[in-house]
Amino acid sequence: MSDTLKIGLIGAGHNTCQKHIPGFQAISGVTLQAVCNSREESTRNVAKRFGIPDQYADWKDVVHSSDIDAIVIGTWPNLHCEVACAALAAGKHVLTEARMARNLDEARRMLEASRQHADLTSMVVPSPFGLKFGPYMDSLIERRFLGDLREVVVIGADDTHWDFSQHLHPRQDRELSGNNVLHLGILHETLSRWVPATKRVMAQAKIFETERSLENSPEMAKVTVPDSLHVMSELEGGARGIYHLSGISLFGPGHHIHLYGTEGTIKLRFDLKSGLKETLLCGRIGEESLIPLELSAEKLGSWQVEADFIAAIRGEKPVTLNNFETALDYMKFTEAVYQSYTQGVAVELASL
């Protein structure tokens, strides 16, 4: 490998263009060398917009290019496993967009591939939720602000899919998106940074409108991902969790994580319509109400995904959010939820 790290992009959607490309271009000694998007026109447009020299029609050609040191996978989850395993086998470092894969089996194949190529960096893009207040949340938990954790409430309910006249979204197609439902994976991953592991889940789900129109087609397609999901969970240590996920909640409550303990309460709110604005509210015994916290800039975290990936490749620090090992944990959770609502049974995560 030369001193300059050359990156190939496979998939260049919104997050890649808004986050990853500017992030990598800001790092010294990193070059965006190649791009392959889903269509030739979009590949050409991205290459022109960001000054990327090499364009490919087939992602396999990016993976096997001798000019590429690392692969960034920005496709839907249906390609994450195949591309990641091929890239690692070709000697390339891998950063893949979340969710890690469509299901637990694919995630395990990716983990095994990363273990077979332990000299390469394998990383999954972390949830952006909670990055701002994450460091302070860590300190609150370490100082036992909550006391003993008793309950967890996770809410991700809005009107994303309320309008049934809208075309089928890729997130409503399990073949593309896998077993994850709505914001379940991203919210659970965020929560998992601060609470013990989940032991057991019981879930129910519903698809209220079973068909949607296809864009640029007179045909209708089946909706295969629920637009309403409820999960009850048991955590290590005995705390209980409740999850409410919905894409059909007109004027719904939005996106929240609540932690309730014997001595205090923490509520973290995420406003997705305002560029993922975060609000942190805390309260302890003896206080009359929750208090919104305003922290100085030096106490806040931020998006560092691209810098963390490059630093791991250069051996400057290990991957923390998320390597393939830690990402597998939330894949077990979404798999357990899927098995629970499809089979109508409680699922122990240790059995997976």
Side-chain angles (χ1 to χ4, degrees), residues 303-314:
W303 178 273
Q304 298 288 332
V305 175
E306 298 78 26
D308 287 348
F309 180 56
I310 298 302
I313 292 174
R314 291 172 170 167

Side-chain angles (χ1 to χ4, degrees), residues 208-280:
F208 281 95
E209 192 77 9
T210 58
E211 290 186 332
R212 294 262 181 157
S213 61
L214 287 172
E215 191 171 6
N216 301 319
S217 172
E219 298 182 3
M220 300 292 286
K222 287 189 176 296
V223 176
T224 50
V225 177
D227 45 31
S228 178
L229 173 70
H230 301 86
V231 183
M232 295 187 297
S233 67
E234 178 184 352
L235 282 64
E236 298 280 357
R240 294 317 197 246
I242 298 175
Y243 296 69
H244 174 207
L245 283 299
S246 174
I248 54 167
S249 296
L250 190 62
F251 306 114
H255 298 75
H256 305 247
I257 291 176
H258 300 173
L259 308 179
Y260 298 100
T262 55
E263 299 180 28
T265 292
I266 299 173
K267 292 187 177 182
L268 195 54
R269 298 174 181 170
F270 311 103
D271 185 351
L272 275 60
K273 295 181 179 180
S274 300
L276 193 55
K277 178 182 177 182
E278 293 185 12
T279 304
L280 179 64

Side-chain angles (χ1 to χ4, degrees), residues 190-220:
T190 305
L191 170 72
S192 297
R193 299 168 189 165
W194 307 307
V195 303
T198 301
K199 292 177 58 179
R200 186 173 186 263
V201 300
M202 181 69 188
Q204 64 173 6
K206 176 71 174 178
I207 300 174
F208 281 95
E209 192 77 9
T210 58
E211 290 186 332
R212 294 262 181 157
S213 61
L214 287 172
E215 191 171 6
N216 301 319
S217 172
E219 298 182 3
M220 300 292 286

Side-chain angles (χ1 to χ4, degrees), residues 16 27 64 67 84 92 164 216 231 281 286 343:
T16 299
I27 303 172
H64 294 292
D67 288 334
K92 308 295 195 289
F164 295 133
N216 301 319
V231 183
L281 301 100
Q343 300 173 22

Side-chain angles (χ1 to χ4, degrees), residues 5 9 17 20 36 41 82 84 98 145 152 154 165 172 232 236 240 244 246-247 261 267 286 313 319 339 343-344:
L5 283 168
L9 304 173
C17 292
H20 299 324
C36 174
E41 181 183 6
E82 185 179 4
F145 179 91
V152 168
V154 177
S165 68
Q172 295 175 296
M232 295 187 297
E236 298 280 357
R240 294 317 197 246
H244 174 207
S246 174
K267 292 187 177 182
I313 292 174
V319 173
Q339 291 188 14
Q343 300 173 22

